Amino acid sequence: MRRPEAAQAGPLRIQGIGIDLVDKKRVQKLIQQNPRPAVRALFTKLETQKIKFTSPRQFARLFAAKEAFFKAVGGVWLGLENFPKIKVHCFTKDCFQVESPIYKVSPRHGVFAEGQFFECGTLVGAQVLVWSLGMPQ
Protein backbone atom coordinates (compact mmCIF):
# COMPACT_ATOMS: atom_id res chain seq x y z
CA MET A 1 0.00 0.00 0.00
CA ARG A 2 1.10 3.56 -0.52
CA ARG A 3 1.07 6.37 1.99
CA PRO A 4 -0.99 9.43 1.07
CA GLU A 5 1.05 12.53 0.34
CA ALA A 6 -0.35 14.27 3.43
CA ALA A 7 1.09 11.52 5.62
CA GLN A 8 4.64 11.53 4.24
CA ALA A 9 6.01 13.74 7.01
CA GLY A 10 4.18 12.37 10.02
CA PRO A 11 3.34 9.19 11.92
CA LEU A 12 0.27 7.12 11.14
CA ARG A 13 -2.24 5.72 13.61
CA ILE A 14 -3.88 2.44 12.58
CA GLN A 15 -7.62 2.57 13.22
CA GLY A 16 -8.70 -0.77 11.82
CA ILE A 17 -8.03 -3.75 9.60
CA GLY A 18 -10.70 -5.67 7.70
CA ILE A 19 -10.82 -8.66 5.38
CA ASP A 20 -13.58 -10.32 3.38
CA LEU A 21 -13.99 -13.26 0.97
CA VAL A 22 -16.65 -13.66 -1.72
CA ASP A 23 -17.32 -16.77 -3.80
CA LYS A 24 -17.63 -15.96 -7.51
CA LYS A 25 -20.08 -18.88 -7.92
CA ARG A 26 -22.56 -17.23 -5.52
CA VAL A 27 -22.15 -13.91 -7.32
CA GLN A 28 -22.76 -15.63 -10.68
CA LYS A 29 -26.10 -16.96 -9.37
CA LEU A 30 -27.10 -13.50 -8.16
CA ILE A 31 -26.17 -11.92 -11.49
CA GLN A 32 -28.14 -14.55 -13.42
CA GLN A 33 -31.23 -14.06 -11.24
CA ASN A 34 -31.44 -10.27 -11.13
CA PRO A 35 -28.32 -8.37 -12.22
CA ARG A 36 -29.37 -4.73 -12.49
CA PRO A 37 -31.17 -4.33 -9.14
CA ALA A 38 -28.34 -6.10 -7.31
CA VAL A 39 -25.72 -3.84 -8.85
CA ARG A 40 -27.71 -0.64 -8.32
CA ALA A 41 -28.40 -1.51 -4.68
CA LEU A 42 -24.75 -2.08 -3.78
CA PHE A 43 -22.59 0.21 -5.89
CA THR A 44 -22.13 3.89 -6.76
CA LYS A 45 -23.06 5.12 -10.22
CA LEU A 46 -19.38 5.24 -11.18
CA GLU A 47 -18.79 1.70 -9.88
CA THR A 48 -21.92 0.51 -11.70
CA GLN A 49 -20.54 1.90 -14.97
CA LYS A 50 -17.32 -0.07 -14.46
CA ILE A 51 -19.04 -3.36 -13.65
CA LYS A 52 -19.95 -5.54 -16.57
CA PHE A 53 -23.24 -7.16 -15.61
CA THR A 54 -21.80 -10.52 -16.64
CA SER A 55 -18.60 -10.16 -14.58
CA PRO A 56 -18.84 -12.08 -11.30
CA ARG A 57 -15.17 -11.34 -10.64
CA GLN A 58 -15.53 -7.54 -10.76
CA PHE A 59 -18.75 -7.61 -8.74
CA ALA A 60 -17.10 -9.87 -6.12
CA ARG A 61 -14.00 -7.66 -5.90
CA LEU A 62 -15.97 -4.47 -5.24
CA PHE A 63 -18.34 -6.17 -2.81
CA ALA A 64 -15.42 -7.73 -0.89
CA ALA A 65 -13.68 -4.32 -0.72
CA LYS A 66 -16.79 -2.69 0.75
CA GLU A 67 -17.29 -5.49 3.27
CA ALA A 68 -13.62 -5.43 4.32
CA PHE A 69 -13.83 -1.65 4.75
CA PHE A 70 -16.99 -1.98 6.85
CA LYS A 71 -15.19 -4.47 9.11
CA ALA A 72 -12.09 -2.23 9.34
CA VAL A 73 -14.08 0.77 10.57
CA GLY A 74 -16.06 -1.39 12.99
CA GLY A 75 -19.19 0.35 11.83
CA VAL A 76 -22.74 -0.12 12.92
CA TRP A 77 -24.75 -1.92 10.24
CA LEU A 78 -26.67 0.72 8.31
CA GLY A 79 -28.30 -1.58 5.75
CA LEU A 80 -27.52 -2.38 2.14
CA GLU A 81 -28.95 0.96 1.02
CA ASN A 82 -25.82 2.62 2.41
CA PHE A 83 -23.38 0.42 0.47
CA PRO A 84 -23.29 2.93 -2.41
CA LYS A 85 -21.98 5.51 0.09
CA ILE A 86 -18.83 3.40 0.48
CA LYS A 87 -16.79 4.37 -2.59
CA VAL A 88 -14.04 2.11 -3.92
CA HIS A 89 -11.44 3.75 -6.19
CA CYS A 90 -9.16 1.27 -7.94
CA PHE A 91 -5.75 2.74 -8.76
CA THR A 92 -3.83 -0.36 -9.86
CA LYS A 93 -4.80 -3.87 -10.85
CA ASP A 94 -4.92 -5.13 -7.27
CA CYS A 95 -4.89 -1.99 -5.07
CA PHE A 96 -7.68 0.41 -4.16
CA GLN A 97 -8.68 3.28 -1.89
CA VAL A 98 -11.97 3.61 -0.04
CA GLU A 99 -13.89 6.71 1.05
CA SER A 100 -17.13 7.03 2.97
CA PRO A 101 -18.90 10.14 4.27
CA ILE A 102 -20.91 7.95 6.67
CA TYR A 103 -17.78 6.80 8.52
CA LYS A 104 -15.85 10.05 7.88
CA VAL A 105 -13.08 8.28 5.99
CA SER A 106 -11.59 10.66 3.44
CA PRO A 107 -8.50 12.84 3.05
CA ARG A 108 -10.70 15.78 4.07
CA HIS A 109 -11.19 14.13 7.47
CA GLY A 110 -7.55 13.06 7.77
CA VAL A 111 -8.57 9.40 7.72
CA PHE A 112 -7.41 7.12 4.93
CA ALA A 113 -8.32 3.61 3.78
CA GLU A 114 -6.48 1.50 1.24
CA GLY A 115 -6.56 -2.15 0.39
CA GLN A 116 -5.55 -4.97 -1.87
CA PHE A 117 -7.46 -7.66 -3.73
CA PHE A 118 -6.43 -11.32 -3.79
CA GLU A 119 -7.86 -14.43 -5.43
CA CYS A 120 -7.68 -18.18 -4.95
CA GLY A 121 -9.79 -20.48 -7.08
CA THR A 122 -13.38 -19.29 -6.98
CA LEU A 123 -12.75 -16.99 -4.01
CA VAL A 124 -12.11 -13.28 -4.35
CA GLY A 125 -10.93 -11.35 -1.32
CA ALA A 126 -10.04 -7.88 -0.16
CA GLN A 127 -8.12 -6.56 2.80
CA VAL A 128 -8.38 -2.96 4.01
CA LEU A 129 -6.28 -0.87 6.37
CA VAL A 130 -7.79 2.32 7.83
CA TRP A 131 -5.51 4.88 9.44
CA SER A 132 -5.26 8.53 10.44
CA LEU A 133 -2.49 11.02 10.92
CA GLY A 134 -1.02 11.31 14.41
CA MET A 135 0.39 9.29 17.23
CA PRO A 136 -1.55 6.46 18.95
CA GLN A 137 -3.33 7.57 22.13
Side-chain angles (χ1 to χ4, degrees):
M1 288 190 230
R2 63 186 188 138
R3 286 180 87 178
E5 290 179 25
Q8 294 298 324
L12 299 178
R13 181 174 155 230
I14 294 175
Q15 293 193 334
I17 298 170
I19 190 166
D20 194 62
L21 291 172
V22 177
D23 190 334
K24 289 185 280 188
K25 289 179 183 178
R26 291 184 72 194
V27 170
Q28 180 65 43
K29 288 179 186 176
L30 178 64
I31 289 173
Q32 288 172 343
Q33 292 171 355
N34 220 348
R36 294 192 188 277
V39 170
R40 287 191 188 119
L42 299 171
F43 304 112
T44 67
K45 288 183 181 181
L46 183 59
E47 291 165 348
T48 301
Q49 292 170 357
K50 292 180 181 181
I51 293 175
K52 296 175 183 159
F53 286 102
T54 58
S55 174
R57 179 178 181 261
Q58 188 64 13
F59 187 110
R61 285 168 61 105
L62 288 173
F63 187 82
K66 289 178 183 233
E67 278 286 320
F69 170 79
F70 178 75
K71 292 172 182 177
V73 296
V76 175
W77 179 246
L78 299 173
L80 287 177
E81 65 273 5
N82 285 299
F83 255 52
K85 294 176 184 165
I86 300 171
K87 300 172 186 167
V88 178
H89 307 284
C90 297
F91 56 81
T92 68
K93 178 183 166 193
D94 292 323
C95 297
F96 58 91
Q97 292 178 317
V98 185
E99 290 186 39
S100 174
I102 295 173
Y103 299 106
K104 297 184 179 172
V105 175
S106 71
R108 189 179 111 224
H109 292 100
V111 181
F112 304 88
E114 288 190 349
Q116 293 181 310
F117 296 113
F118 54 92
E119 296 183 44
C120 182
T122 64
L123 296 177
V124 174
Q127 57 189 10
V128 173
L129 176 67
V130 177
W131 70 86
S132 61
L133 302 174
M135 295 296 291
Q137 297 177 352

